[in-house]
C-alpha cells in the first residue's frame, strides 16, 4: 500500500481518477479546447469536457441561493442549455443522511463521507455527463462547502482535498461574502429553530443553539476566506442590493464564459 | 461485491479479563503506528488497550467460519470480543444493501458508502471496544475495500488517502484460496452466486463462473500487492478448518500473551469443524 504520508496533496481536482492499466480511456472531444482556471504554480490542465461549471459558495444567509436562482432565470429565459444542481440532494443517500442526523449518529468523519457519497452520486450521474454533453451546469454549493464546513468540524484539509479530488474544477466560483453578524441575523430571524448539525451542536461549542451556530459559522467563514486565493474565488459583497449583485454576477458570467456555445441552435435566418 | 451471508453483529460479551494484559506491555503507541496515515478526529490512541485482529480473504475463503470459532475460543479464554464486518453499521449498513439490490449505483458512490460504513463501525464499535480492552475480530478491513475500488479503476492513492485514518490492526490474517475453490464453496452455501460476488458490474464475462473467477483473481492480486507492506500473515485457506484455526489461535495467543491450549468447538459450532 502507498505510504500516505509521502503523497503530495493534489492541487487539481481533475487528477485522473482512473488507474491507467485498467480503465478504458475515452479520447478527448474535438471541441474540448477550453482550459480550467489556472492553479497557482501548476501547469494548466486541459480538460476532457466541453461544458462549463458555475458554482456559488458562501455561509448560510450570504444570499448565494437567491443570486444563483436569478442567474438561472436569466439563462433559462435566454434559452440556454443548463442544469441546476443543489448540495446534499441525491435521493440515493438521502435516507441515510436523514437517519444519521435524526439519531445523531454522525461524527465529523462520517458526516463528511456521507456528503461526499451524495456528491459523488450527483457528480457521476449528472454533473460529469452533462459537462461532457456540452451543458452549462449551475451548482448551489460545491466541494468548497465541504472543505469549509468539515474543516470547521476538525477534519484535516489534506484528507478533505483528497476525498473530493474527482470533482471537476469550476469555471467560475462565486463566493458571496457577508459579515458574520449580517448572515447570522438573516438566518436567525427567518428560521426560529436551528437544527442540531446545522447549528454545529455536535462540536460542543455552546449549549445554546443560536450561540453555537454563530461560533460554528465564524469558523466556516474563516475557512472560506482561506480559499479565496488558493481556489480562485470571485468574491462578491453579499450586503449589496439584490439587483446590483445580480448585475455584477451576470457581467462576470458573460465575460468569462462563451455563452453563445450554450445558446439554442436557431435555424439560420434567410 | 459482498458475499451472500451477512452474519449478525455480535455484541461484546461481558467477560473477566482482569488478570490478562490485553497486549504485551510497551511504550504508549504513537499515532503514526496507530493509524495508516493521519489520526482520526477526536481520538486519543493512548486510550486504546484492546487488540484489533483482522481476517481478510475473498468470498468463500472461510473467514466467517473462523471468526465464529475464534470468538467462542476467546470467550472461553475469558476475553471480551467484538466483531465488525462490511455493511454492518447502524448508519448506512442497510442503505448499502438497498443500493446493491437496486443495482443503481456508480462505483465512486458505492466506494464512499462503504467508507462511511467502515468509519461508522470504527468509531462506534471498534474504538469503544478497544478502549474497554476487548479483542476485536474484523471480518475484512480496508484492504478488501481498497482492492474492490482499485479493480474498478478508482485511483489507488485516492483510496489509500480515504482510509488514512483507519487504525492499523495488530494482526492481519489473509486466508488465501484459489478462486475455483471459493466458487465451489460459495455456490454450495446459497446454491447461487450473487451479482456482486461475481463482479458482474465489471462486464468481465457473460459466463457467471468465469466472471467470478476473473473478478476474484483481480481482487486476490490486489491483496497480494498489499500483503508485504501491511505484514499480512498468509494462511492456506484450502487447508482444513481445524488446521487453519490452530494457526490462527497460535498467532493470536502470542499477541495476547496467553498459552494456547487445545480447543474443540461446542456443540453449537461443531458443524463448522470439518
Amino acid at each position: 500500500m502507498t505510504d500516505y504520508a509521502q503523497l503530495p496533496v493534489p492541487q487539481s481536482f481533475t487528477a485522473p481518477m482512473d488507474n491507467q492499466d485498467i480503465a478504458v480511456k475515452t479520447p478527448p472531444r474535438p471541441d474540448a479546447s477550453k482550459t480550467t482556471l489556472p492553479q497557482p504554480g501548476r501547469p494548466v490542465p486541459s480538460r476532457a469536457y466541453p461544458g462549463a461549471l458555475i458554482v456559488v459558495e458562501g455561509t448560510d444567509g450570504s444570499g448565494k441561493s437567491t443570486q444563483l436562482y436569478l442567474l438561472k432565470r436569466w439563462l433559462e429565459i435566454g434559452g440556454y442549455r443548463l442544469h441546476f444542481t443543489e448540495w446534499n440532494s441525491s435521493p440515493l443517500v438521502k435516507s441515510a443522511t436523514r437517519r444519521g442526523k435524526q439519531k445523531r449518529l454522525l461524527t465529523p468523519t462520517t458526516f463528511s463521507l456521507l456528503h461526499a457519497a451524495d456528491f459523488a452520486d450527483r457528480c457521476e450521474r449528472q454533473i460529469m455527463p452533462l459537462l461532457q454533453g456540452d451543458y452549462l451546469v449551475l451548482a448551489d454549493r460545491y466541494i468548497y462547502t465541504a472543505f469549509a464546513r468539515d474543516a470547521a468540524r476538525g477534519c484535516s484539509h489534506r484528507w478533505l482535498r483528497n476525498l473530493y479530488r474527482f470533482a471537476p474544477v469550476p469555471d467560475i466560483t462565486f463566493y458571496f461574502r457577508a459579515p458574520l453578524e449580517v448572515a447570522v441575523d438573516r438566518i436567525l430571524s427567518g428560521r426560529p429553530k436551528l437544527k442540531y448539525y446545522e447549528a454545529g451542536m455536535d462540536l460542543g461549542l455552546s449549549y445554546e443553539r443560536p450561540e453555537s451556530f454563530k461560533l460554528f459559522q465564524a469558523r466556516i467563514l474563516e475557512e472560506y476566506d482561506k480559499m479565496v486565493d488558493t481556489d480562485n474565488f470571485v468574491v462578491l459583497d453579499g450586503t449589496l442590493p439584490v439587483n446590483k449583485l445580480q448585475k455584477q454576477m451576470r457581467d462576470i458570467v458573460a465575460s468569462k464564459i462563451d455563452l453563445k456555445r450554450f445558446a439554442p441552435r436557431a435555424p439560420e435566418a434567410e | 461485491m459482498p458475499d451472500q451471508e451477512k452474519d449478525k453483529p455480535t455484541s461484546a460479551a461481558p467477560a473477566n479479563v482482569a488478570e490478562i494484559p490485553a497486549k504485551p506491555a510497551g511504550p504508549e503507541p504513537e499515532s503514526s503506528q496507530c493509524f495508516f496515515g493521519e489520526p482520526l478526529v477526536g481520538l486519543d490512541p493512548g486510550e486504546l488497550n484492546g487488540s484489533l485482529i483482522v481476517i481478510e480473504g475473498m468470498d468463500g475463503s472461510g473467514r466467517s467460519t473462523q471468526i465464529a470459532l475464534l470468538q467462542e475460543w476467546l470467550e472461553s479464554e475469558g476475553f471480551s470480543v467484538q466483531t465488525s464486518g462490511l455493511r454492518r453499521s447502524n448508519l448506512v449498513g442497510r442503505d448499502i444493501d438497498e443500493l446493491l439490490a437496486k443495482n443503481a449505483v456508480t462505483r465512486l458512490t458505492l466506494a464512499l458508502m462503504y467508507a462511511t460504513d467502515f468509519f461508522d463501525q470504527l468509531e462506534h464499535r471498534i474504538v469503544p471496544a478497544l478502549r474497554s480492552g476487548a479483542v476485536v475480530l474484523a471480518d475484512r478491513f480496508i484492504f478488501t475495500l481498497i482492492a474492490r475500488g482499485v479493480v474498478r479503476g478508482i485511483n489507488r492513492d485516492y483510496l489509500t488517502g480515504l482510509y488514512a485514518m483507519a487504525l492499523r490492526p495488530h494482526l492481519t490474517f489473509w486466508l488465501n484460496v484459489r478462486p475455483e475453490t471459493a466458487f465451489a464453496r460459495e455456490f454450495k452455501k446459497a446454491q447461487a452466486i450473487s451479482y456482486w460476488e461475481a463482479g458482474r458490474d465489471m462486464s468481465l464475462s457473460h459466463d457467471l463462473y468465469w466472471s467470478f473467477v476473473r473478478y476474484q483473481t483481480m481482487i486476490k492480486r490486489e491483496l497480494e500487492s498489499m500483503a508485504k507492506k501491511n505484514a499480512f500473515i498468509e494462511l492456506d485457506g484450502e487447508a482444513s478448518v481445524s488446521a487453519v484455526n490452530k494457526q490462527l489461535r497460535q498467532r493470536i495467543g502470542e499477541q495476547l500473551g496467553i498459552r494456547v491450549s487445545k480447543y474443540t468447538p461446542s456443540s453449537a459450532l461443531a458443524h463448522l469443524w470439518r
Side-chain angles (χ1 to χ4, degrees):
Chain A
M1 195 193 290
T2 321
D3 186 357
Y4 182 68
Q6 303 295 317
L7 288 178
V9 179
Q11 290 284 313
S12 158
F13 308 120
T14 50
M17 284 298 296
D18 292 312
N19 285 311
Q20 306 207 330
D21 49 339
I22 293 170
V24 182
K25 282 227 175 122
T26 25
R29 297 200 169 210
D31 52 350
S33 55
K34 292 200 298 168
T35 56
T36 48
L37 293 171
Q39 303 283 330
R42 304 270 297 191
V44 177
S46 66
R47 59 182 199 187
Y49 54 83
L53 175 62
I54 300 174
V55 315
V56 296
E57 287 281 2
T59 54
D60 292 337
S62 60
K64 61 186 176 328
S65 303
T66 310
Q67 290 299 329
L68 189 64
Y69 171 76
L70 291 170
L71 185 75
K72 177 175 162 249
R73 290 301 295 143
W74 177 57
L75 294 166
E76 270 172 355
I77 292 163
Y80 296 96
R81 267 194 318 286
L82 65 86
H83 175 78
F84 170 77
T85 177
E86 259 179 305
W87 187 248
N88 199 14
S89 62
S90 158
L92 215 54
V93 186
K94 216 163 206 166
S95 71
T97 315
R98 197 187 310 123
R99 181 168 348 103
K101 287 181 178 171
Q102 266 171 7
K103 297 192 176 169
R104 297 185 190 169
L105 293 169
L106 300 170
T107 62
T109 305
T110 52
F111 185 99
S112 185
L113 282 166
L114 208 47
H115 284 87
D118 178 275
F119 176 77
D121 188 46
R122 275 181 304 121
C123 192
E124 285 189 299
R125 298 206 296 176
Q126 298 178 359
I127 300 173
M128 277 313 293
L130 286 163
L131 288 175
Q132 282 161 343
D134 207 2
Y135 265 72
L136 193 54
V137 177
L138 307 181
D140 187 354
R141 292 184 174 280
Y142 200 60
I143 57 176
Y144 309 106
T145 287
F147 292 162
R149 197 174 51 187
D150 299 349
R153 282 205 157 83
C155 294
S156 89
H157 291 100
R158 179 194 189 81
W159 184 75
L160 288 167
R161 290 275 165 174
N162 178 65
L163 182 59
Y164 283 98
R165 81 181 197 206
F166 58 88
V169 180
D171 293 79
I172 310 176
T173 305
F174 288 108
Y175 170 39
F176 288 86
R177 204 181 182 291
L180 188 62
E181 293 299 326
V182 174
V184 167
D185 277 354
R186 281 181 190 169
I187 295 297
L188 292 183
S189 60
R191 219 176 303 181
K193 182 110 174 82
L194 288 164
K195 291 178 202 143
Y196 182 82
Y197 285 99
E198 182 185 30
M201 292 301 282
D202 55 318
L203 293 167
L205 300 170
S206 166
Y207 288 113
E208 298 295 327
R209 282 196 189 189
E211 181 59 18
S212 171
F213 178 72
K214 212 167 167 179
L215 294 167
F216 186 42
Q217 292 295 317
R219 286 193 185 187
I220 291 173
L221 193 62
E222 201 180 307
E223 292 293 335
Y224 267 128
D225 284 346
K226 281 194 232 164
M227 292 188 280
V228 169
D229 292 329
T230 56
D231 294 277
N232 298 295
F233 286 178
V234 175
V235 185
L236 294 178
D237 180 355
T239 60
L240 290 178
V242 171
N243 60 332
K244 266 199 173 158
L245 254 180
Q246 186 57 208
K247 169 96 179 40
Q248 288 185 3
M249 209 178 170
R250 289 176 185 182
D251 288 346
I252 294 165
V253 168
S255 72
K256 291 203 176 196
I257 289 173
D258 182 17
L259 284 173
K260 286 196 299 294
R261 294 165 37 72
F262 304 100
R265 291 184 187 101
E268 299 267 320
E270 288 187 37
Chain B
M1 193 180 236
D3 40 9
Q4 292 274 318
E5 100 286 8
K6 182 179 164 188
D7 35 11
K8 291 282 171 293
T10 322
S11 59
N16 178 14
V17 288
E19 271 90 5
I20 309 154
K23 248 189 325 198
E28 289 266 296
E30 277 178 38
S31 95
S32 61
Q33 291 173 288
C34 227
F35 303 98
F36 281 93
E38 55 184 80
L40 192 60
V41 187
L43 175 65
D44 172 10
E47 302 174 337
L48 306 180
N49 304 307
S51 293
L52 174 56
I53 293 160
V54 168
I55 305 203
E56 280 284 2
M58 71 174 75
D59 298 316
S61 62
R63 292 182 326 268
S64 22
T65 300
Q66 292 298 343
I67 284 175
L69 294 164
L70 287 175
Q71 177 166 12
E72 184 179 86
W73 167 66
L74 285 165
E75 286 175 355
S76 74
E77 293 284 337
F79 286 92
S80 168
V81 174
Q82 175 64 281
T83 59
S84 75
L86 309 188
R87 289 172 293 122
R88 292 191 206 162
S89 72
N90 291 327
L91 184 58
V92 291
R94 242 179 263 159
D95 298 276
I96 299 179
D97 287 344
E98 275 175 37
L99 292 182
L100 295 177
K102 282 191 220 143
N103 187 17
V105 63
T106 47
R107 57 179 187 174
L108 203 53
T109 309
L110 191 58
L112 289 168
M113 288 297 276
Y114 268 105
T116 311
D117 175 72
F118 174 84
F119 280 105
D120 188 53
Q121 290 187 66
L122 184 66
E123 296 185 311
H124 290 309
R125 182 177 294 179
I126 297 177
V127 163
L130 293 177
R131 276 201 185 111
S132 74
V135 177
V136 175
L137 298 176
D139 185 342
R140 290 182 290 200
F141 207 61
I142 65 169
F143 310 110
T144 286
L145 296 173
I146 290 173
R148 285 177 178 181
V150 170
V151 303
R152 285 176 173 76
I154 300 177
N155 184 295
R156 189 179 280 113
D157 293 344
Y158 174 77
L159 292 161
T160 313
L162 186 59
Y163 289 106
M165 295 108 66
L167 285 173
R168 227 178 243 289
H170 296 96
L171 293 175
T172 306
F173 294 100
W174 180 26
L175 303 187
N176 200 357
V177 291
R178 291 182 310 129
E180 293 83 349
T181 312
F183 181 88
R185 289 183 185 171
E186 284 303 287
F187 194 85
K188 203 173 150 193
K189 237 186 270 173
Q191 297 300 305
I193 291 291
S194 81
Y195 178 88
W196 294 100
E197 258 182 318
R200 298 203 68 181
D201 61 313
M202 296 179 58
S203 310
L204 298 168
S205 168
H206 287 293
D207 185 303
L208 193 61
Y209 176 77
W210 284 114
S211 185
F212 179 92
V213 170
R214 286 188 64 191
Y215 174 61
Q216 297 291 351
T217 305
M218 290 165 88
I219 297 277
K220 185 175 155 138
R221 274 200 212 118
E222 277 307 314
L223 287 173
E224 254 160 32
S225 76
M226 296 183 227
K228 201 169 171 204
K229 176 107 198 225
N230 296 287
F232 285 6
I233 301 162
E234 187 180 337
L235 299 178
D236 179 9
E238 313 242 350
S240 72
V241 171
S242 55
V244 173
N245 192 254
K246 193 177 173 191
Q247 287 178 296
L248 286 166
R249 279 183 286 121
Q250 198 65 45
R251 297 302 296 261
I252 295 171
E254 283 168 24
Q255 170 69 23
L256 300 175
I258 53 169
R259 198 206 290 251
V260 178
S261 49
K262 202 166 154 29
Y263 163 73
T264 332
S266 69
S267 57
L269 296 183
H271 63 284
L272 299 174
W273 199 256
R274 46 176 200 269

